[in-house]
Amino acid sequence: MAKFQPNTEPPKGFVIFKNLEGVAADSDKFRRVLWTGTHSQLVIMTVPVNGEIGEETHTVDQHLIFLSGNGQAIEGGTKTTDIHPGDLVIVPAGTLHNFKNTGATPWIVATVYAPAEHKADTVHDTLEQGEKLEDEGKDEPPSWAKEK
């Protein structure tokens, strides 16, 4: 399968990702940005068995599309909902949330942030690496991708 290179400049036209689940499954990385626009960003995630996305609150909206695997959505630290392939969860900015893989296989997730949340060419091998880079301010979206 062809490897996608993320755009690091403002996009000039549309992009078609054929077989997004396959693109995501080919990546063993925890988080990988595929595309960044001026108002949104597409990211794929591979959450290991018994892994999690990490409890967080964003300043942007997040739409998560679960492509394969099973898990739980956790809202506000306590409310849990089972998640299955084909489910879509929308997390408004300011909502405390986490997602945990409870299945027997890695959990493949596509997520759209609006506006962008990460650097345009971000690749995080693990949750811990991503959190460290975010804490150090090394995973900021490009200036052209911030809400205007």
Coordinates of all heavy atoms in Angstrom, one line a residue, residues 2-3 7 9-10 22 27 30 35 42 45-46 50-51 59 77 89 93 95 101 108 111 121 132 134 138 146:
A2 N 0.5 2.2 -0.8 CA 1.3 3.5 -0.9 C 1.3 4.2 0.5 O 0.3 4.3 1.2 CB 0.7 4.4 -1.9
K3 N 2.5 4.7 0.8 CA 2.6 5.5 2.1 C 2.2 7.0 1.8 O 2.6 7.5 0.7 CB 4.0 5.4 2.6 CG 4.5 4.0 3.0 CD 3.8 3.6 4.2 CE 4.3 2.2 4.6 NZ 3.5 1.5 5.6
N7 N 0.9 16.8 4.2 CA 1.2 18.1 3.6 C 1.7 19.0 4.7 O 1.3 18.9 5.9 CB 0.0 18.7 3.0 CG -1.2 18.9 4.0 OD1 -1.6 18.0 4.6 ND2 -1.6 20.2 4.1
E9 N 2.3 22.4 3.9 CA 1.9 23.7 3.5 C 0.4 23.7 3.3 O -0.2 22.6 3.2 CB 2.6 24.0 2.1 CG 4.1 23.9 2.1 CD 4.7 25.1 2.9 OE1 4.1 26.2 2.9 OE2 5.8 24.9 3.5
P10 N -0.2 24.8 3.3 CA -1.7 24.9 3.1 C -2.1 24.1 1.9 O -1.5 24.2 0.8 CB -2.0 26.4 3.0 CG -0.8 27.1 3.6 CD 0.4 26.2 3.4
G22 N -7.1 0.5 5.8 CA -5.8 -0.1 5.4 C -4.6 0.8 5.6 O -3.6 0.4 6.0
S27 N 0.2 1.3 9.6 CA 1.0 2.1 10.5 C 1.0 1.5 11.9 O 0.0 1.2 12.5 CB 0.5 3.5 10.6 OG 1.2 4.3 11.6
F30 N 1.5 5.1 17.1 CA 0.3 5.5 17.9 C -0.5 6.6 17.3 O -1.7 6.5 17.2 CB 0.8 5.9 19.3 CG -0.3 6.5 20.2 CD1 -1.2 5.6 20.8 CD2 -0.4 7.8 20.5 CE1 -2.2 6.1 21.6 CE2 -1.4 8.3 21.3 CZ -2.3 7.5 21.8
W35 N -3.2 14.6 7.1 CA -3.5 15.8 6.3 C -3.9 17.0 7.3 O -4.5 16.7 8.3 CB -4.7 15.5 5.4 CG -5.2 16.7 4.6 CD1 -4.7 17.0 3.3 CD2 -6.2 17.6 4.9 NE1 -5.4 18.1 2.8 CE2 -6.3 18.5 3.8 CE3 -7.0 17.9 6.0 CZ2 -7.1 19.6 3.7 CZ3 -7.9 18.9 5.9 CH2 -7.9 19.8 4.8
L42 N -6.7 15.7 9.8 CA -7.0 14.2 9.8 C -5.8 13.5 10.4 O -4.7 13.6 9.9 CB -7.3 13.7 8.4 CG -7.5 12.2 8.3 CD1 -8.7 11.7 9.1 CD2 -7.6 11.8 6.8
M45 N -4.8 6.8 14.3 CA -4.2 6.3 15.5 C -4.3 4.8 15.6 O -5.3 4.2 15.1 CB -4.9 6.9 16.8 CG -4.9 8.4 16.8 SD -5.7 9.0 18.3 CE -4.4 8.7 19.5
T46 N -3.3 4.1 16.1 CA -3.3 2.7 16.3 C -3.0 2.5 17.8 O -1.9 2.8 18.3 CB -2.2 2.0 15.5 OG1 -2.4 2.3 14.1 CG2 -2.2 0.5 15.8
N50 N -5.1 -3.1 25.3 CA -5.1 -2.6 26.7 C -4.5 -1.2 26.7 O -4.3 -0.7 27.8 CB -4.3 -3.5 27.6 CG -4.9 -4.9 27.7 OD1 -6.1 -5.0 27.8 ND2 -4.1 -5.9 27.7
G51 N -4.3 -0.5 25.6 CA -3.8 0.8 25.6 C -5.0 1.8 25.6 O -6.2 1.5 25.6
T59 N -8.9 22.1 23.2 CA -9.4 23.4 23.0 C -10.1 23.5 21.6 O -10.5 24.5 21.1 CB -8.4 24.6 23.1 OG1 -7.4 24.3 22.1 CG2 -7.8 24.6 24.5
G77 N -14.4 11.3 33.0 CA -13.7 10.5 33.9 C -14.6 9.3 34.5 O -14.0 8.4 35.1
V89 N -17.7 9.2 17.3 CA -17.9 9.9 18.6 C -17.4 11.4 18.3 O -16.3 11.6 17.8 CB -17.1 9.3 19.8 CG1 -17.2 10.2 21.0 CG2 -17.5 7.9 20.0
A93 N -15.0 20.8 22.1 CA -13.9 21.4 22.9 C -14.3 21.6 24.3 O -15.4 21.9 24.6 CB -13.5 22.7 22.2
T95 N -14.3 19.2 26.6 CA -14.9 18.0 27.3 C -13.8 17.0 27.7 O -13.0 16.6 26.8 CB -15.8 17.2 26.3 OG1 -16.8 18.1 25.8 CG2 -16.4 16.0 26.9
N101 N -8.7 0.8 24.7 CA -8.9 -0.4 23.8 C -9.1 -1.6 24.8 O -8.3 -1.9 25.6 CB -7.6 -0.6 23.0 CG -7.7 -1.9 22.1 OD1 -8.6 -2.7 22.2 ND2 -6.7 -2.0 21.3
I108 N -8.0 0.7 15.6 CA -7.7 1.6 14.5 C -8.7 2.7 14.5 O -9.9 2.5 14.4 CB -7.6 0.9 13.2 CG1 -6.7 -0.3 13.2 CG2 -7.3 1.9 12.1 CD1 -5.3 0.0 13.4
T111 N -9.3 10.3 13.3 CA -9.8 11.4 14.1 C -9.6 12.7 13.3 O -8.6 12.9 12.6 CB -9.3 11.5 15.5 OG1 -9.9 12.5 16.2 CG2 -7.8 11.7 15.5
D121 N 3.3 17.4 10.4 CA 4.0 16.1 10.0 C 4.2 15.2 11.3 O 5.1 14.4 11.3 CB 5.3 16.3 9.3 CG 6.3 17.2 10.0 OD1 5.9 17.7 11.1 OD2 7.4 17.4 9.6
K132 N 4.8 13.8 25.9 CA 6.1 14.5 26.2 C 6.3 15.7 25.2 O 6.6 16.8 25.6 CB 7.3 13.5 26.1 CG 8.6 14.2 26.4 CD 9.7 13.1 26.4 CE 11.0 13.6 26.9 NZ 11.7 14.5 25.9
E134 N 4.0 17.2 23.3 CA 3.0 18.2 23.6 C 3.4 19.0 24.8 O 3.2 20.3 24.7 CB 1.6 17.5 23.8 CG 1.1 16.9 22.5 CD -0.2 16.1 22.7 OE1 -0.7 16.0 23.8 OE2 -0.6 15.5 21.7
K138 N 6.4 21.0 21.4 CA 7.0 20.6 20.1 C 6.0 20.0 19.2 O 6.4 19.3 18.2 CB 8.2 19.7 20.4 CG 9.3 20.4 21.2 CD 10.4 19.4 21.4 CE 11.6 20.1 22.2 NZ 12.6 19.1 22.6
K146 N -4.4 27.4 12.0 CA -5.2 27.8 13.2 C -6.4 28.6 12.8 O -6.5 29.3 11.8 CB -4.3 28.7 14.1 CG -3.1 27.9 14.6 CD -2.3 28.6 15.6 CE -1.2 27.7 16.1 NZ -0.3 28.4 16.9

